[in-house]
Amino acid sequence: MATLLHLDSAVFPQGSASRDVTAAFVEAWREQHPDGEVVYRDLAAEPLPHLDASAVVAGAEDALRAELAAELASADAVLIGAPMYNFSIPSTLKAWLDQVIIVGHNAGPDSPVAGTSVTVVASRGGSYAPGTPREDFEFVQNYLEKVLTGMLGAEVDFIVPELTLAHSKPEMAELIPLADASRAKAFTDAEEKAKSLAVRLAG
Ligand SMILES: Cc1cc2nc3c(=O)[nH]c(=O)nc-3n(C[C@H](O)[C@H](O)[C@H](O)COP(=O)(O)O)c2cc1C
């Protein structure tokens, strides 16, 4: 039985590109895994506490950190909704990462997460694609790729619905066709990724 760990972190429960696309991914996942389990955390609705000194010292002996690390280790695949806030990830997602990454327990060469597929839906109001003026301000994909591969040895893929503010900002009106195309591609990518994961996990 395959288990998917699904995290959302967008502050808005409705009208969120990352939530819409992760939901589409989960729907496709469930079609492939009718007996599978989806473990869900809404990090915005139920934020985890910031890591504090006692939790750092306790490491895997801390009850919450142990619970989160076990949840991650037992996931066959992970799905993360990660909107861009101030060029970076939501602080609630950073809190999850700080709690769940435990050096000497799941971080390092023998990580139980090594090889686990992590799909990140990285929504953003603008575009930070290579060649765009704000390329150097991209600290969502650049950060998550480094921390998830570098600390946990995960295999990370990104789905990027971008220019999401084009419909609400008049100065971005000419970008609406690109925004719509990006959103459509994100749904297609989510469905394809969920299906290809099913094949991989079955093998
Ligand atoms: C607090 C906050 C900060 C944001 N900062 C940025 C930013 O730095 N760059 C950007 O392109 N969009 C930024 N946005 C816009 C969001 O990235 C955009 O609305 C995105 O679609 C939000 O994700 P969601 O649709 O999954 O909820 C920000 C939005 C909020 C609420």
Side-chain angles (χ1 to χ4, degrees):
M1 189 179 79
T3 300
L4 174 70
L5 173 61
H6 171 198
L7 310 173
D8 275 326
S9 61
V11 292
F12 294 109
Q14 307 292 333
S16 155
S18 61
R19 287 180 185 272
D20 291 349
V21 174
T22 59
F25 183 111
V26 170
E27 195 181 325
W29 167 274
R30 284 194 196 279
E31 277 169 20
Q32 303 296 319
H33 303 275
D35 302 328
E37 191 186 353
V38 178
V39 177
Y40 182 58
R41 281 188 183 270
D42 187 333
L43 299 172
E46 294 182 56
L48 297 166
H50 287 298
L51 188 64
D52 62 15
S54 65
V56 173
V57 172
E61 303 298 315
D62 179 86
L64 174 62
R65 300 190 78 192
E67 178 191 338
L68 296 170
E71 206 169 78
L72 177 61
S74 60
D76 297 294
V78 181
L79 172 66
I80 303 177
M84 178 183 279
Y85 293 156
N86 301 319
F87 308 126
S88 186
I89 62 171
S91 56
T92 52
L93 179 55
K94 182 62 161 60
W96 178 79
L97 286 163
D98 289 343
Q99 295 282 7
V100 85
I101 295 172
I102 307 170
V103 174
H105 180 68
N106 63 5
D110 300 323
S111 173
V113 188
T116 300
S117 166
V118 179
T119 305
V120 178
V121 179
S123 52
R124 65 272 315 270
S127 177
Y128 301 78
T132 59
R134 288 274 167 136
E135 176 181 358
D136 288 348
F137 290 69
E138 211 294 326
F139 297 101
V140 175
Q141 287 178 259
N142 281 310
Y143 168 65
L144 288 175
E145 203 270 334
K146 298 283 187 301
V147 74
L148 293 169
T149 62
M151 300 293 284
L152 299 171
E155 288 183 16
V156 188
D157 278 315
F158 291 96
I159 296 173
V160 186
E162 62 178 13
L163 300 167
T164 64
L165 292 175
H167 280 274
S168 55
K169 295 218 175 232
E171 64 271 28
M172 291 177 70
E174 67 182 22
L175 298 170
I176 287 174
L178 287 178
D180 290 349
S182 175
R183 183 177 171 87
K185 183 177 186 311
F187 282 106
T188 306
D189 288 352
E191 198 170 316
E192 282 176 3
K193 182 69 193 174
K195 284 185 182 157
S196 70
L197 264 177
V199 172
R200 178 175 145 174
L201 292 175

PDB file of all heavy atoms in Angstrom, residues 1-25:
ATOM      1  N   MET A   1       0.848  -1.199   0.000  1.00  0.00           N
ATOM      2  CA  MET A   1       0.000   0.000   0.000  1.00  0.00           C
ATOM      3  C   MET A   1       0.886   1.252   0.000  1.00  0.00           C
ATOM      4  O   MET A   1       1.722   1.396   0.882  1.00  0.00           O
ATOM      5  CB  MET A   1      -0.891  -0.014   1.247  1.00  0.00           C
ATOM      6  CG  MET A   1      -1.933   1.072   1.212  1.00  0.00           C
ATOM      7  SD  MET A   1      -2.999   1.042   2.666  1.00  0.00           S
ATOM      8  CE  MET A   1      -1.963   1.846   3.875  1.00  0.00           C
ATOM      9  N   ALA A   2       0.697   2.087  -1.014  1.00  0.00           N
ATOM     10  CA  ALA A   2       1.547   3.273  -1.132  1.00  0.00           C
ATOM     11  C   ALA A   2       1.020   4.415  -0.266  1.00  0.00           C
ATOM     12  O   ALA A   2      -0.184   4.596  -0.123  1.00  0.00           O
ATOM     13  CB  ALA A   2       1.599   3.709  -2.588  1.00  0.00           C
ATOM     14  N   THR A   3       1.951   5.153   0.311  1.00  0.00           N
ATOM     15  CA  THR A   3       1.584   6.289   1.158  1.00  0.00           C
ATOM     16  C   THR A   3       2.143   7.573   0.562  1.00  0.00           C
ATOM     17  O   THR A   3       3.329   7.659   0.226  1.00  0.00           O
ATOM     18  CB  THR A   3       2.144   6.107   2.586  1.00  0.00           C
ATOM     19  OG1 THR A   3       1.607   4.910   3.122  1.00  0.00           O
ATOM     20  CG2 THR A   3       1.763   7.271   3.479  1.00  0.00           C
ATOM     21  N   LEU A   4       1.279   8.560   0.444  1.00  0.00           N
ATOM     22  CA  LEU A   4       1.682   9.894  -0.011  1.00  0.00           C
ATOM     23  C   LEU A   4       1.575  10.854   1.165  1.00  0.00           C
ATOM     24  O   LEU A   4       0.530  10.931   1.818  1.00  0.00           O
ATOM     25  CB  LEU A   4       0.745  10.358  -1.137  1.00  0.00           C
ATOM     26  CG  LEU A   4       0.950  11.796  -1.638  1.00  0.00           C
ATOM     27  CD1 LEU A   4       2.268  11.931  -2.404  1.00  0.00           C
ATOM     28  CD2 LEU A   4      -0.215  12.232  -2.541  1.00  0.00           C
ATOM     29  N   LEU A   5       2.648  11.571   1.435  1.00  0.00           N
ATOM     30  CA  LEU A   5       2.604  12.647   2.427  1.00  0.00           C
ATOM     31  C   LEU A   5       2.373  13.949   1.678  1.00  0.00           C
ATOM     32  O   LEU A   5       3.178  14.333   0.831  1.00  0.00           O
ATOM     33  CB  LEU A   5       3.917  12.703   3.218  1.00  0.00           C
ATOM     34  CG  LEU A   5       4.065  13.888   4.180  1.00  0.00           C
ATOM     35  CD1 LEU A   5       2.981  13.887   5.251  1.00  0.00           C
ATOM     36  CD2 LEU A   5       5.460  13.876   4.823  1.00  0.00           C
ATOM     37  N   HIS A   6       1.263  14.608   1.968  1.00  0.00           N
ATOM     38  CA  HIS A   6       0.864  15.827   1.266  1.00  0.00           C
ATOM     39  C   HIS A   6       0.858  17.008   2.240  1.00  0.00           C
ATOM     40  O   HIS A   6       0.149  16.977   3.252  1.00  0.00           O
ATOM     41  CB  HIS A   6      -0.544  15.588   0.667  1.00  0.00           C
ATOM     42  CG  HIS A   6      -1.195  16.813   0.087  1.00  0.00           C
ATOM     43  ND1 HIS A   6      -2.552  16.885  -0.152  1.00  0.00           N
ATOM     44  CD2 HIS A   6      -0.687  18.005  -0.301  1.00  0.00           C
ATOM     45  CE1 HIS A   6      -2.850  18.060  -0.665  1.00  0.00           C
ATOM     46  NE2 HIS A   6      -1.741  18.773  -0.750  1.00  0.00           N
ATOM     47  N   LEU A   7       1.641  18.027   1.909  1.00  0.00           N
ATOM     48  CA  LEU A   7       1.704  19.240   2.726  1.00  0.00           C
ATOM     49  C   LEU A   7       1.250  20.427   1.889  1.00  0.00           C
ATOM     50  O   LEU A   7       1.682  20.581   0.741  1.00  0.00           O
ATOM     51  CB  LEU A   7       3.140  19.524   3.186  1.00  0.00           C
ATOM     52  CG  LEU A   7       3.936  18.392   3.829  1.00  0.00           C
ATOM     53  CD1 LEU A   7       5.379  18.845   4.045  1.00  0.00           C
ATOM     54  CD2 LEU A   7       3.317  17.978   5.148  1.00  0.00           C
ATOM     55  N   ASP A   8       0.392  21.261   2.441  1.00  0.00           N
ATOM     56  CA  ASP A   8       0.069  22.549   1.826  1.00  0.00           C
ATOM     57  C   ASP A   8       0.522  23.655   2.772  1.00  0.00           C
ATOM     58  O   ASP A   8       0.518  23.472   3.999  1.00  0.00           O
ATOM     59  CB  ASP A   8      -1.446  22.679   1.592  1.00  0.00           C
ATOM     60  CG  ASP A   8      -1.896  22.059   0.281  1.00  0.00           C
ATOM     61  OD1 ASP A   8      -1.123  22.106  -0.706  1.00  0.00           O
ATOM     62  OD2 ASP A   8      -3.014  21.527   0.232  1.00  0.00           O
ATOM     63  N   SER A   9       0.876  24.812   2.199  1.00  0.00           N
ATOM     64  CA  SER A   9       1.325  25.899   3.075  1.00  0.00           C
ATOM     65  C   SER A   9       0.836  27.275   2.636  1.00  0.00           C
ATOM     66  O   SER A   9       1.220  28.281   3.241  1.00  0.00           O
ATOM     67  CB  SER A   9       2.856  25.894   3.181  1.00  0.00           C
ATOM     68  OG  SER A   9       3.457  26.101   1.911  1.00  0.00           O
ATOM     69  N   ALA A  10      -0.018  27.334   1.614  1.00  0.00           N
ATOM     70  CA  ALA A  10      -0.561  28.635   1.186  1.00  0.00           C
ATOM     71  C   ALA A  10      -1.487  29.182   2.269  1.00  0.00           C
ATOM     72  O   ALA A  10      -2.295  28.431   2.834  1.00  0.00           O
ATOM     73  CB  ALA A  10      -1.329  28.474  -0.123  1.00  0.00           C
ATOM     74  N   VAL A  11      -1.403  30.477   2.540  1.00  0.00           N
ATOM     75  CA  VAL A  11      -2.224  31.043   3.622  1.00  0.00           C
ATOM     76  C   VAL A  11      -3.703  31.104   3.248  1.00  0.00           C
ATOM     77  O   VAL A  11      -4.568  31.024   4.123  1.00  0.00           O
ATOM     78  CB  VAL A  11      -1.754  32.460   4.056  1.00  0.00           C
ATOM     79  CG1 VAL A  11      -0.413  32.392   4.744  1.00  0.00           C
ATOM     80  CG2 VAL A  11      -1.736  33.432   2.907  1.00  0.00           C
ATOM     81  N   PHE A  12      -3.992  31.253   1.949  1.00  0.00           N
ATOM     82  CA  PHE A  12      -5.399  31.341   1.552  1.00  0.00           C
ATOM     83  C   PHE A  12      -5.948  29.945   1.261  1.00  0.00           C
ATOM     84  O   PHE A  12      -5.401  29.224   0.423  1.00  0.00           O
ATOM     85  CB  PHE A  12      -5.564  32.232   0.323  1.00  0.00           C
ATOM     86  CG  PHE A  12      -5.230  33.663   0.587  1.00  0.00           C
ATOM     87  CD1 PHE A  12      -4.087  34.253   0.056  1.00  0.00           C
ATOM     88  CD2 PHE A  12      -6.048  34.446   1.402  1.00  0.00           C
ATOM     89  CE1 PHE A  12      -3.763  35.575   0.328  1.00  0.00           C
ATOM     90  CE2 PHE A  12      -5.740  35.778   1.675  1.00  0.00           C
ATOM     91  CZ  PHE A  12      -4.599  36.336   1.140  1.00  0.00           C
ATOM     92  N   PRO A  13      -7.047  29.563   1.938  1.00  0.00           N
ATOM     93  CA  PRO A  13      -7.584  28.215   1.696  1.00  0.00           C
ATOM     94  C   PRO A  13      -8.247  28.070   0.332  1.00  0.00           C
ATOM     95  O   PRO A  13      -8.311  26.981  -0.221  1.00  0.00           O
ATOM     96  CB  PRO A  13      -8.599  28.015   2.827  1.00  0.00           C
ATOM     97  CG  PRO A  13      -8.895  29.363   3.383  1.00  0.00           C
ATOM     98  CD  PRO A  13      -7.748  30.265   3.025  1.00  0.00           C
ATOM     99  N   GLN A  14      -8.738  29.185  -0.217  1.00  0.00           N
ATOM    100  CA  GLN A  14      -9.389  29.144  -1.540  1.00  0.00           C
ATOM    101  C   GLN A  14      -8.586  30.017  -2.510  1.00  0.00           C
ATOM    102  O   GLN A  14      -7.897  30.943  -2.095  1.00  0.00           O
ATOM    103  CB  GLN A  14     -10.822  29.705  -1.469  1.00  0.00           C
ATOM    104  CG  GLN A  14     -11.699  29.066  -0.405  1.00  0.00           C
ATOM    105  CD  GLN A  14     -12.029  27.624  -0.719  1.00  0.00           C
ATOM    106  OE1 GLN A  14     -12.054  27.232  -1.879  1.00  0.00           O
ATOM    107  NE2 GLN A  14     -12.276  26.828   0.305  1.00  0.00           N
ATOM    108  N   GLY A  15      -8.764  29.742  -3.806  1.00  0.00           N
ATOM    109  CA  GLY A  15      -8.115  30.568  -4.821  1.00  0.00           C
ATOM    110  C   GLY A  15      -6.606  30.471  -4.788  1.00  0.00           C
ATOM    111  O   GLY A  15      -5.911  31.422  -5.150  1.00  0.00           O
ATOM    112  N   SER A  16      -6.125  29.326  -4.364  1.00  0.00           N
ATOM    113  CA  SER A  16      -4.676  29.122  -4.257  1.00  0.00           C
ATOM    114  C   SER A  16      -4.216  28.178  -5.356  1.00  0.00           C
ATOM    115  O   SER A  16      -4.690  27.042  -5.443  1.00  0.00           O
ATOM    116  CB  SER A  16      -4.362  28.537  -2.876  1.00  0.00           C
ATOM    117  OG  SER A  16      -3.145  27.800  -2.915  1.00  0.00           O
ATOM    118  N   ALA A  17      -3.286  28.649  -6.175  1.00  0.00           N
ATOM    119  CA  ALA A  17      -2.792  27.810  -7.272  1.00  0.00           C
ATOM    120  C   ALA A  17      -2.114  26.554  -6.741  1.00  0.00           C
ATOM    121  O   ALA A  17      -2.328  25.455  -7.251  1.00  0.00           O
ATOM    122  CB  ALA A  17      -1.827  28.612  -8.143  1.00  0.00           C
ATOM    123  N   SER A  18      -1.301  26.711  -5.700  1.00  0.00           N
ATOM    124  CA  SER A  18      -0.593  25.521  -5.184  1.00  0.00           C
ATOM    125  C   SER A  18      -1.583  24.515  -4.613  1.00  0.00           C
ATOM    126  O   SER A  18      -1.451  23.305  -4.833  1.00  0.00           O
ATOM    127  CB  SER A  18       0.465  25.909  -4.158  1.00  0.00           C
ATOM    128  OG  SER A  18      -0.099  26.561  -3.050  1.00  0.00           O
ATOM    129  N   ARG A  19      -2.590  25.002  -3.895  1.00  0.00           N
ATOM    130  CA  ARG A  19      -3.586  24.063  -3.344  1.00  0.00           C
ATOM    131  C   ARG A  19      -4.382  23.399  -4.459  1.00  0.00           C
ATOM    132  O   ARG A  19      -4.696  22.201  -4.382  1.00  0.00           O
ATOM    133  CB  ARG A  19      -4.534  24.797  -2.384  1.00  0.00           C
ATOM    134  CG  ARG A  19      -3.885  25.161  -1.054  1.00  0.00           C
ATOM    135  CD  ARG A  19      -4.873  25.897  -0.149  1.00  0.00           C
ATOM    136  NE  ARG A  19      -4.250  26.363   1.064  1.00  0.00           N
ATOM    137  CZ  ARG A  19      -4.141  25.636   2.185  1.00  0.00           C
ATOM    138  NH1 ARG A  19      -4.647  24.425   2.237  1.00  0.00           N
ATOM    139  NH2 ARG A  19      -3.543  26.134   3.253  1.00  0.00           N
ATOM    140  N   ASP A  20      -4.737  24.150  -5.494  1.00  0.00           N
ATOM    141  CA  ASP A  20      -5.495  23.566  -6.608  1.00  0.00           C
ATOM    142  C   ASP A  20      -4.680  22.471  -7.304  1.00  0.00           C
ATOM    143  O   ASP A  20      -5.204  21.404  -7.646  1.00  0.00           O
ATOM    144  CB  ASP A  20      -5.886  24.643  -7.627  1.00  0.00           C
ATOM    145  CG  ASP A  20      -6.932  25.614  -7.080  1.00  0.00           C
ATOM    146  OD1 ASP A  20      -7.509  25.337  -6.001  1.00  0.00           O
ATOM    147  OD2 ASP A  20      -7.157  26.663  -7.718  1.00  0.00           O
ATOM    148  N   VAL A  21      -3.397  22.766  -7.512  1.00  0.00           N
ATOM    149  CA  VAL A  21      -2.572  21.802  -8.253  1.00  0.00           C
ATOM    150  C   VAL A  21      -2.228  20.596  -7.378  1.00  0.00           C
ATOM    151  O   VAL A  21      -2.245  19.453  -7.858  1.00  0.00           O
ATOM    152  CB  VAL A  21      -1.302  22.483  -8.820  1.00  0.00           C
ATOM    153  CG1 VAL A  21      -0.367  21.454  -9.459  1.00  0.00           C
ATOM    154  CG2 VAL A  21      -1.688  23.551  -9.848  1.00  0.00           C
ATOM    155  N   THR A  22      -1.948  20.814  -6.086  1.00  0.00           N
ATOM    156  CA  THR A  22      -1.687  19.633  -5.235  1.00  0.00           C
ATOM    157  C   THR A  22      -2.953  18.775  -5.143  1.00  0.00           C
ATOM    158  O   THR A  22      -2.872  17.549  -5.120  1.00  0.00           O
ATOM    159  CB  THR A  22      -1.175  19.991  -3.815  1.00  0.00           C
ATOM    160  OG1 THR A  22      -2.130  20.799  -3.138  1.00  0.00           O
ATOM    161  CG2 THR A  22       0.178  20.692  -3.869  1.00  0.00           C
ATOM    162  N   ALA A  23      -4.123  19.418  -5.122  1.00  0.00           N
ATOM    163  CA  ALA A  23      -5.377  18.646  -5.069  1.00  0.00           C
ATOM    164  C   ALA A  23      -5.534  17.786  -6.327  1.00  0.00           C
ATOM    165  O   ALA A  23      -5.972  16.630  -6.256  1.00  0.00           O
ATOM    166  CB  ALA A  23      -6.568  19.584  -4.899  1.00  0.00           C
ATOM    167  N   ALA A  24      -5.171  18.350  -7.480  1.00  0.00           N
ATOM    168  CA  ALA A  24      -5.249  17.586  -8.732  1.00  0.00           C
ATOM    169  C   ALA A  24      -4.265  16.411  -8.703  1.00  0.00           C
ATOM    170  O   ALA A  24      -4.575  15.307  -9.171  1.00  0.00           O
ATOM    171  CB  ALA A  24      -4.953  18.493  -9.925  1.00  0.00           C
ATOM    172  N   PHE A  25      -3.094  16.656  -8.160  1.00  0.00           N
ATOM    173  CA  PHE A  25      -2.093  15.589  -8.016  1.00  0.00           C
ATOM    174  C   PHE A  25      -2.665  14.471  -7.141  1.00  0.00           C
ATOM    175  O   PHE A  25      -2.585  13.287  -7.486  1.00  0.00           O
ATOM    176  CB  PHE A  25      -0.810  16.179  -7.398  1.00  0.00           C
ATOM    177  CG  PHE A  25       0.327  15.197  -7.251  1.00  0.00           C
ATOM    178  CD1 PHE A  25       1.473  15.313  -8.037  1.00  0.00           C
ATOM    179  CD2 PHE A  25       0.280  14.165  -6.318  1.00  0.00           C
ATOM    180  CE1 PHE A  25       2.529  14.416  -7.906  1.00  0.00           C
ATOM    181  CE2 PHE A  25       1.331  13.281  -6.177  1.00  0.00           C
ATOM    182  CZ  PHE A  25       2.460  13.408  -6.969  1.00  0.00           C
TER     183      PHE A  25
END
